[in-house]
Amino acid sequence: MPDQPLSSADSAKSATEAPLLRDAAEIQDWSDQSDILIVGFGMAGACAAIEALEAGASVTVVERTSGCTGSTSAASGHFYLGGGTPVQTACEFEDSPEAMAAYLEATSPTPNMKKITLYAEGSVAHFNWLEAQGIPFERSYYPTKNVVQPGRECLIWTGNEQVWPYRDLATPAPRGHKVAFDGEEGGGALALRILSERAEALGARVIANAAVGSLLHQDGQIVGVQARRFGETLNLRARNAVILAAGGFGQNPEMVRQHVPILEHAYVQGSPHDDGVGIRLGQAAGGATEHMQEAFITSPFYPPEDLLKGILVNRLGQRFVAEDSYHSRSSIHCTRQPGGTVYLIVDAAIFAYPQFASLTQQALVDGFETIEAMESGLQLPPGSLQTTLADYNRHAARAEDPEFHKHPKWLKPLDEAPWAAFDLSFGRAVYTGFTLGGLRVNENGQVLNADGNAIPALYAAGACASNLAQDSNGYASGTCLGEASFFGRRAGKHSASRTHAST
Ligand SMILES: Cc1cc2nc3c(=O)[nH]c(=O)nc-3n(C[C@H](O)[C@H](O)[C@H](O)COP(=O)(O)OP(=O)(O)OC[C@H]3O[C@@H](n4cnc5c(N)ncnc54)[C@H](O)[C@@H]3O)c2cc1C
């Protein structure tokens, strides 16, 4: 696709009123210059830096904090990888790039088959690359349905691969690969430390504690950035390209209200610097955005996994989703119920408190000796829950769920008194989340305008770009780190190979 020269009329302003796009002709002194300039040293920025350096480019990374503090460092450390990785093979799971691509296609509202195919076909090589950088992955499998494995085990089901209709559309395989790390948090931080040290060992120059506020353009292309560091202005020239890798926009209340208001009612996780500046810089240069209205959102009611044998009902006493869905899928469906009202109903045989109840505030409403008593206790329409449970139990006794096709493994009649209800209502229970939308980019990370043309010398990767993770319904844990690293690498490599005269 041909580049479209930038218009100097672009004059969008950042929150601090510094122009997001400035004419480089205004710049008297350049503080520094390099071939590639990367904004943000998280997963995407570190991977882009390594590839660009290995392609022979000089690289400067500008990082707003002292380092290793982005959302990557909050991540559990799942990478969504498949197609027959060494871990899948060691744990005796068969997978293929075709099955992985079919799954990603089935779970994407608007699948980009070029990106999906590249990712699925490149997944084994990408796993090997991550491991070669020094990131540890055990050859082990964690069989329990959980949000994050508590120990160092690697392979886990982190999506809806075994959930209907996806299990009929693509041969299922577990593809969540957790960095070997004891605990539920820390795998992302470990991976980032290893990758950022690797980038620096290869020669990346890191300017820390410097916040980029403007892109600089000249002769129709991006030629650098302007940053502020301890009250000083830095003008940093990029001979080849600028790569935006500055994270998402969950901490920008105005952008959240405008694009993804559901997050106003959730606890937004991640970097405090997810203020959307990467996206806004790209937009100021003419970049389009995609999937800005979508967020990962969750209030997981499992583990323990036996709770998947319960049912979720809304205020009409009706089920609405297969309860064995990945937690961000069941959660987004919960948020869409009338009044946000949702109860998890269990019987005595499977009763347990959701493991995350102290975080999610999923309160135990009460125990009830009869379904009729529960129905009135929850103020559900008379007869509604009785009908729902009678139907569910009748089918579950035959290991069937004709309405939502819950996997037979999680089907059992809920017929052992007493029964209990947990309140999962959106607005009463705590839902957490982060943004998924970002700049529209092609498979090489080039930022595209509304017509699909590349903005000259401007790339984006990670949470400020939109690649594979498109919505909460289809999300699989590990997709964000997976795409930030995979497409970050592609952006680094492609930008290193371009000259200012070409795309
Ligand atoms: C609690 C939690 C757990 C998660 N677990 C997983 C998981 O296990 N697997 C998975 O795939 N995804 C997970 N995610 C999502 C994933 O962590 C992010 O999508 C991913 O880390 C984004 O990487 P990034 O490089 O784009 O952004 P970041 O890691 O946030 O890096 C962006 C960097 O840019 C810097 N920056 C920002 N503004 C500027 C500026 N103006 N100038 C210079 N620098 C700037 C920031 O300081 C930051 O260091 C999780 C998210 C959260 C919140």
Side-chain angles (χ1 to χ4, degrees), residues 180-196:
F181 187 84
D182 281 313
E184 289 166 359
E185 293 162 15
L190 176 61
L192 180 56
R193 184 170 60 74
I194 290 166
L195 292 168
S196 51

Side-chain angles (χ1 to χ4, degrees), residues 182 270 440 479:
D182 281 313
R440 186 173 167 196
T479 312

